[in-house]
């Protein structure tokens, strides 16, 4: 059996699985030669955390589902009245669902990055979703 030296031993804090989930990484304070105070380095902020991306994708998918099924329900009434074919109803529902999903994803990304939730988050979500939906509808109409 081989004897492990102290220089190749992995410290306990590196083997603990929870350290990889920490949102804040602490770096050791480095002393600057010739100065009496230490210099501390901080990590660079990432553009978007995985949680933000996950929330944004989930909101986009949910928005697509809600808007497309709601639109399809209204379009089926037009199909039964003979005002629209089923293919037209399905195409219209998918197009409006894509717009709603995009608006929901953009609004969630804006609210998540600009606010910490609550009433301000709701206000940003509503404003961003309305603005994105308006812009897309204006471009394609």
């Amino acid at each position: 059996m081989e004897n492990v030296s102290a220089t190749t031993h992995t410290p306990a804090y590196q083997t603990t699985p929870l350290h990889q989930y920490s949102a804040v990484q602490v770096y050791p304070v480095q002393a600057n030669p010739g100065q009496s105070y230490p210099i501390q380095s901080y990590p660079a902020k990432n553009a978007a955390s995985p949680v933000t991306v996950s929330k944004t994708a989930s909101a986009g998918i949910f928005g697509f589902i809600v808007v497309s099924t709601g639109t399809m329900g209204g379009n089926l009434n037009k199909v039964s009245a003979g005002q629209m074919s089923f293919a037209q109803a399905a195409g219209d529902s998918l197009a409006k669902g894509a717009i709603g999903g995009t608006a929901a994803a953009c609004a969630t990304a804006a609210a998540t990055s600009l606010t910490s939730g609550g009433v301000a988050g709701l206000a940003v979500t509503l404003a961003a979703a309305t603005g994105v939906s308006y812009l897309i509808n204006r471009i394609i109409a």
Side-chain angles (χ1 to χ4, degrees), residues 31-39:
N32 193 8
Q35 292 183 350
S36 60
Y37 59 91
I39 296 176

Side-chain angles (χ1 to χ4, degrees), residues 83-97:
Q83 299 172 347
M84 180 184 279
S85 71
F86 185 79
Q88 290 171 328
D92 182 56
S93 298
L94 290 175
K96 288 184 179 174

Side-chain angles (χ1 to χ4, degrees), residues 8-100:
T8 61
H9 182 336
T10 303
Y13 69 87
Q14 289 181 346
T15 59
T16 306
L18 296 178
H19 82 280
Q20 63 187 334
Y21 300 111
S22 175
V24 178
Q25 294 180 355
V26 179
Y27 293 96
V29 176
Q30 300 171 351
N32 193 8
Q35 292 183 350
S36 60
Y37 59 91
I39 296 176
Q40 191 170 15
S41 61
Y42 298 97
K45 183 176 168 116
N46 293 336
S49 70
V51 173
T52 303
V53 173
S54 175
K55 283 182 182 179
T56 303
S58 296
I61 293 168
F62 185 70
F64 173 78
I65 291 169
V66 169
V67 174
S68 63
T69 56
T71 304
M72 189 62 171
N75 286 344
L76 288 177
N77 289 326
K78 293 178 183 178
V79 169
S80 65
Q83 299 172 347
M84 180 184 279
S85 71
F86 185 79
Q88 290 171 328
D92 182 56
S93 298
L94 290 175
K96 288 184 179 174
I99 293 169

